Amino acid sequence: MHSPETRPSLIVRLGGAADQSAWWSFVETYEPFLKHLVARHGTPPSHVADVTQQVLISIARSIDGFSDDGKEASFRRWVHQVSRNVVIKYMARQRKQITGLGGTDALLQLDQQPAIDDPALEDQYQHELIVWAAEKVRSEFAPTSWQAFWGTMIEGRPVAEIAGELNVSAGSIYMSRSRILRRIRLVLDEVMQ
């Protein structure tokens, strides 16, 4: 892409930012060139329009500081320098930020991933879901009932062993377990709807 020709009268009219028609003319003339320049400096394609906008803002803010050095293409060199500085600042900010992927492209990539039909993974998921829901309802039950439930259902220890530790009957463990599991199912039903 070749650099656009800039009329000296347009450059003069840009000073002070009061002449809207001069700015419209400038943007119409220079925007395609600036987009090309910004992309050439290494700006990711998805950010070219935003960085080009920043370049135009920077030009508008600093146009009064432009002075013709008398050499050919003085204004174009100045515009090139302004755009280069804006891109450098943009790249420095991007390096400091963590950006995530998103949008349609990311969604399409996720859809192309094969489904995982691993029973062990599904069992682990179900277990984690039950543990999460159990923690949500823990405060609703007596400590002994909770210990009976946790020891037999989550830790997988025998009912007789837990009954001996807690000095309660096996029947009371089964009752506690049943009440807590019913409450956990209600929590999971609410979440999964």
Side-chain angles (χ1 to χ4, degrees), residues 16-180:
D19 190 341
Q20 286 289 346
S21 66
W23 279 103
W24 281 112
S25 179
F26 175 78
V27 169
E28 185 177 65
T29 304
Y30 267 86
E31 190 174 33
F33 171 70
L34 290 173
K35 283 182 178 178
H36 175 75
L37 209 55
V38 164
R40 201 175 80 201
H41 285 309
T43 304
S46 61
H47 294 241
V48 167
D50 291 335
V51 175
T52 301
Q53 198 71 8
Q54 291 174 19
V55 170
L56 288 167
I57 290 168
S58 184
I59 289 170
R61 288 181 179 156
S62 60
I63 189 71
D64 290 329
F66 167 72
S67 63
D68 191 338
D69 62 9
K71 297 178 185 170
E72 188 176 332
S74 175
F75 183 71
R76 281 178 284 176
R77 282 195 318 279
W78 179 80
V79 166
H80 187 275
Q81 187 61 42
V82 169
S83 70
R84 184 175 176 274
N85 290 341
V86 169
V87 170
I88 288 170
K89 287 177 187 174
Y90 164 79
M91 294 293 197
R93 278 193 312 270
Q94 289 300 308
R95 274 189 226 119
K96 293 178 185 175
Q97 296 177 354
I98 298 173
T99 55
L101 293 176
T104 306
D105 292 339
L107 187 59
L108 291 173
Q109 285 178 335
L110 286 173
D111 283 344
Q112 292 175 357
Q113 298 302 314
I116 299 173
D117 293 328
D118 183 355
L121 195 58
E122 181 62 28
D123 289 345
Q124 181 183 357
Y125 171 75
Q126 292 297 326
H127 177 78
E128 293 298 323
L129 203 55
I130 290 169
V131 168
W132 172 83
E135 289 296 333
K136 291 281 188 195
V137 300
R138 180 179 187 165
S139 64
E140 299 174 22
F141 297 95
T144 304
S145 297
W146 184 258
Q147 290 169 346
F149 163 77
W150 194 265
T152 57
M153 294 301 294
I154 304 301
E155 294 175 355
R157 295 170 52 202
V159 171
E161 181 183 326
I162 299 294
E165 283 180 16
L166 298 175
N167 200 24
V168 295
S169 70
S172 69
I173 288 180
Y174 287 118
M175 286 177 52
S176 295
R177 216 165 63 170
S178 176
R179 284 193 316 268
I180 293 172

Side-chain angles (χ1 to χ4, degrees), residues 176-190:
S176 295
R177 216 165 63 170
S178 176
R179 284 193 316 268
I180 293 172
L181 281 172
R182 187 177 326 115
R183 183 67 181 105
I184 287 172
R185 281 189 197 100
L186 288 173
V187 169
L188 289 175
D189 286 346
E190 288 173 15

